[in-house]
Amino acid sequence: MSKYYLNYLDELESEAIYILREVWAQFENPVILFSGGKDSILVTHLAKKAFYPAKIPFALMHVDTGHNFPETIKFRDDLIKELGVKLIVGSVQESIDNGRVAEERGKNATRNALQITTLLDAIENNKIDCAIGGGRRDEEKARAKERFFSHRNDFGEWDPKNQRPELWNLLNGKQFEGEHFRAFPISNWTEMDVWNYIKRENISIPSLYFAHEREVVWRNNSWIPTSEFLKLEEGEEIQKKKIRFRTLGDITITGGIESEADTLEKIVEEVSAMRKTERGDRSDDKRSETAMEDRKKQGYF
């Protein structure tokens, strides 16, 4: 009998599709957390494959900080129209206006942590029992601790020391009233895997990932794009550089890298030589050694 071996990308794809189908089987009202970044785009693409020829059975949820790249919002709206799925938007600005959270002040102010309250409110208001994210273990040490099914208590909190075993790929989605889960189907993917898969599948991504000329400011050891939300400090000057972004977040905290990679082939070649995590240019992760884990314990993505 001849043996059939899967390519490593096929193995990762098969694992992710299995997890997505388990989510649909075990939960009543799951959603895909969609930021417009490559990982959430990849998860959405995998969901299309998992349930083809039917439509994606999940709504997409975007926590809108109000400080997004315009290119990201346009990409999101175009994709929603193409897929014909429901979009749920949680607004950080509404959370601020309603007194649920307070706007940060100062040079390095960000709305990143404010997303926690908005996300948890949206989960509660829409009765969501599982939020599917694009987190990967190679991104950051706190995300390396996540399981495929990540339990959250009735306050939306995550306890990294109290997670359920996932032996033999058996996933336990049982929960009490008020609790919910996060699911991470691409946990075992690396940044290189993501780019190789995007290239293989010819998946559309925002132009921000490709090298392009942009006005930027050097801050926190990375090139921060100029915007109406960025206030220049003494000694800072706007420069025009050819950059691209390895990860997308708020326009105020997402640093770019100087690059000539303006095609998928060039991005794959560039990433293969990288020795620094893609989140190394996110200023929100530079606040402390445990910045990401502290946010996750409170209910972050």
Side-chain angles (χ1 to χ4, degrees), residues 89 96 110-111 134 196 217 224:
V89 178
I96 294 170
T110 169
R111 289 186 170 185
N196 278 325
V217 172
I224 302 295

Tab-separated table of all heavy atoms in Angstrom, residues 89 96 110-111 134 196 217 224:
chain	number	residue	atom	x	y	z
A	89	VAL	N	-19.093	45.420	15.115
A	89	VAL	CA	-18.059	46.393	15.434
A	89	VAL	C	-18.231	46.872	16.867
A	89	VAL	O	-19.300	47.352	17.245
A	89	VAL	CB	-18.104	47.598	14.465
A	89	VAL	CG1	-17.040	48.629	14.866
A	89	VAL	CG2	-17.879	47.145	13.023
A	96	ILE	N	-15.238	55.220	25.443
A	96	ILE	CA	-14.728	56.453	26.056
A	96	ILE	C	-15.873	57.426	26.315
A	96	ILE	O	-16.002	57.995	27.399
A	96	ILE	CB	-13.664	57.098	25.149
A	96	ILE	CG1	-12.431	56.200	25.048
A	96	ILE	CG2	-13.269	58.478	25.672
A	96	ILE	CD1	-11.431	56.631	23.983
A	110	THR	N	-1.846	55.378	24.033
A	110	THR	CA	-2.388	54.449	23.056
A	110	THR	C	-3.768	53.985	23.510
A	110	THR	O	-4.079	54.022	24.698
A	110	THR	CB	-1.462	53.224	22.891
A	110	THR	OG1	-2.139	52.217	22.136
A	110	THR	CG2	-1.077	52.643	24.234
A	111	ARG	N	-4.561	53.553	22.568
A	111	ARG	CA	-5.872	53.001	22.898
A	111	ARG	C	-5.838	51.474	22.946
A	111	ARG	O	-6.878	50.829	23.034
A	111	ARG	CB	-6.907	53.462	21.867
A	111	ARG	CG	-7.265	54.935	21.983
A	111	ARG	CD	-8.392	55.301	21.029
A	111	ARG	NE	-8.884	56.646	21.303
A	111	ARG	CZ	-9.931	57.195	20.677
A	111	ARG	NH1	-10.570	56.508	19.735
A	111	ARG	NH2	-10.328	58.412	20.980
A	134	GLY	N	-6.377	35.152	15.786
A	134	GLY	CA	-5.252	34.770	14.945
A	134	GLY	C	-3.932	34.752	15.681
A	134	GLY	O	-2.876	34.840	15.050
A	196	ASN	N	4.349	31.989	3.619
A	196	ASN	CA	4.406	30.948	2.584
A	196	ASN	C	3.015	30.508	2.165
A	196	ASN	O	2.762	30.242	0.985
A	196	ASN	CB	5.213	29.746	3.079
A	196	ASN	CG	6.715	29.934	2.923
A	196	ASN	OD1	7.174	30.551	1.961
A	196	ASN	ND2	7.484	29.421	3.865
A	217	VAL	N	8.142	58.948	11.548
A	217	VAL	CA	8.941	59.572	12.604
A	217	VAL	C	9.673	58.463	13.355
A	217	VAL	O	9.082	57.423	13.658
A	217	VAL	CB	8.046	60.374	13.573
A	217	VAL	CG1	8.847	60.853	14.778
A	217	VAL	CG2	7.389	61.544	12.862
A	224	ILE	N	7.455	55.184	13.101
A	224	ILE	CA	6.020	55.344	13.359
A	224	ILE	C	5.421	56.239	12.271
A	224	ILE	O	5.930	57.336	12.011
A	224	ILE	CB	5.773	55.978	14.737
A	224	ILE	CG1	6.414	55.128	15.842
A	224	ILE	CG2	4.283	56.148	14.998
A	224	ILE	CD1	5.822	53.747	16.004
